[in-house]
Amino acid sequence: MNLNIKEGAIFVADSHFNEKNREFLQFLKKIENQEIQTSQLFLMGDIIDFISSECKYFIKQNSEVITLLNKLSKNMQIVYLEGNHDYNLQELFSNIKIVKREKQPLIGKFEDKTISLAHGDNFINWKYDLFCKVVRNRFFLKFMNFIDINFYISKKINNALLGKNICHKMRNFEEIVFKRLKNYDTNIVIEGHYHQGGNYIFDNKKYINIPSLCCQKKYTRVKNSNFEEVDLCILP
């Protein structure tokens, strides 16, 4: 994929959309009614609190968001980097560029600079890599869906996710950023996953953590060649 990030591009991360966290649906409706305008939308993972194309319960739970994303994708470029909560998505979004975890980082250009995009849960360790392969395995997921009588398993997962507190400040985040940048050789690195937001520079590399739409109620837009955090004005 020849990726060129344009002026006005928007980045959204970690909205963890579910029946409690509704910000992402409000954001999409603002695009639909042209209150927010862009021709390029990057979804940086964990957009939906849990979903895969094999899990019928969660497809039904998130049908409004799925339908609206597919509608918007007919008139704008949408790139969706899978996270650790949302994966095996291509069957759900035929017109959206889906970037699986093993294909991340996605390399592109921004003006005269090289850029890497990733959800942010790559470069962890081999044990986590193995876990990711198992939980994303289509046969495993289809089997779990088959034994999910009356959606008992899915509902247990959903209730567990609803009870999680995912918003907190990481005191050692600069140290994490410094270590993560060693895995990249581009001028700019953009990730989500950590729910922190902010820009950092180490060794002439710029690291941008996209704020969590759920936690900080913000997304990121390219404006005047800068990556700026923008408040999402919440509907009443």
Side-chain angles (χ1 to χ4, degrees):
M1 178 182 183
N2 294 322
L3 177 66
N4 286 293
I5 295 175
K6 305 171 185 176
E7 178 76 9
I10 287 178
F11 296 78
V12 176
D14 301 281
S15 55
H16 288 270
F17 177 80
N18 57 31
E19 59 200 76
K20 182 175 69 174
N21 306 321
R22 310 298 290 176
E23 293 85 359
F24 186 61
L25 181 58
Q26 295 182 13
F27 169 81
L28 292 181
K29 288 182 175 179
K30 285 175 179 286
I31 293 181
E32 184 183 31
N33 64 27
Q34 298 189 335
E35 185 177 344
I36 296 174
Q37 296 187 19
T38 185
S39 62
Q40 202 174 38
L41 175 61
F42 294 91
L43 304 177
M44 300 297 295
D46 288 2
I47 299 302
I48 296 173
D49 207 19
F50 181 75
I51 196 167
S52 76
S53 61
E54 297 85 4
C55 298
K56 294 180 181 179
Y57 175 83
F58 289 100
I59 293 172
K60 183 177 180 181
Q61 288 287 97
N62 296 284
S63 59
E64 187 175 7
V65 161
I66 294 169
T67 299
L68 190 47
L69 272 173
N70 280 318
K71 177 183 177 181
L72 294 174
S73 70
K74 295 176 181 178
N75 299 305
M76 60 189 297
Q77 181 186 21
I78 301 180
V79 178
Y80 196 140
L81 287 82
E82 294 186 342
N84 49 301
H85 285 246
D86 42 3
Y87 42 80
N88 297 359
L89 299 178
Q90 193 65 76
E91 289 184 15
L92 301 177
F93 301 112
S94 59
N95 202 42
I96 293 175
K97 171 63 179 176
I98 303 296
V99 185
K100 300 181 75 64
R101 180 179 182 270
E102 57 266 27
K103 298 296 184 180
Q104 299 176 26
L106 177 64
I107 307 299
K109 294 279 289 184
F110 172 64
E111 298 178 343
D112 61 343
K113 299 178 177 65
T114 56
I115 193 163
S116 296
L117 305 181
H119 172 60
D121 71 328
N122 51 345
F123 306 125
I124 305 297
N125 55 52
W126 70 266
K127 294 179 182 178
Y128 183 71
D129 288 343
L130 179 60
F131 167 78
C132 288
K133 286 184 178 179
V134 171
V135 298
R136 287 163 171 77
N137 183 273
R138 293 181 63 85
F139 296 105
F140 170 74
L141 289 169
K142 285 181 179 293
F143 173 73
M144 293 301 294
N145 190 69
F146 176 74
I147 66 172
D148 192 14
I149 307 301
N150 295 323
F151 300 123
Y152 176 80
I153 298 173
S154 293
K155 289 177 181 178
K156 291 282 284 187
I157 293 171
N158 190 53
N159 288 335
L161 290 170
L162 288 173
K164 288 181 67 175
N165 177 17
I166 62 171
C167 301
H168 58 274
K169 196 70 178 175
M170 299 173 66
R171 295 180 181 178
N172 65 331
F173 189 57
E174 284 196 21
E175 180 182 338
I176 292 172
V177 169
F178 179 74
K179 291 179 179 178
R180 289 198 61 75
L181 280 174
K182 293 180 180 179
N183 299 294
Y184 295 96
D185 58 5
T186 54
N187 305 122
I188 302 172
V189 175
I190 300 180
E191 295 184 331
H193 188 58
Y194 296 97
H195 303 185
Q196 302 300 299
N199 297 347
Y200 304 82
I201 297 177
F202 291 103
D203 299 327
N204 295 318
K205 291 182 183 178
K206 185 171 186 177
Y207 179 94
I208 301 168
N209 188 243
I210 305 300
S212 164
L213 191 68
C214 170
C215 299
Q216 285 88 34
K217 318 299 183 195
K218 294 180 178 181
Y219 58 93
T220 297
R221 178 190 284 276
V222 179
K223 184 177 180 181
N224 299 326
S225 299
N226 293 312
F227 292 80
E228 299 183 354
E229 294 184 2
V230 181
D231 289 314
L232 177 68
C233 297
I234 305 297
L235 297 173

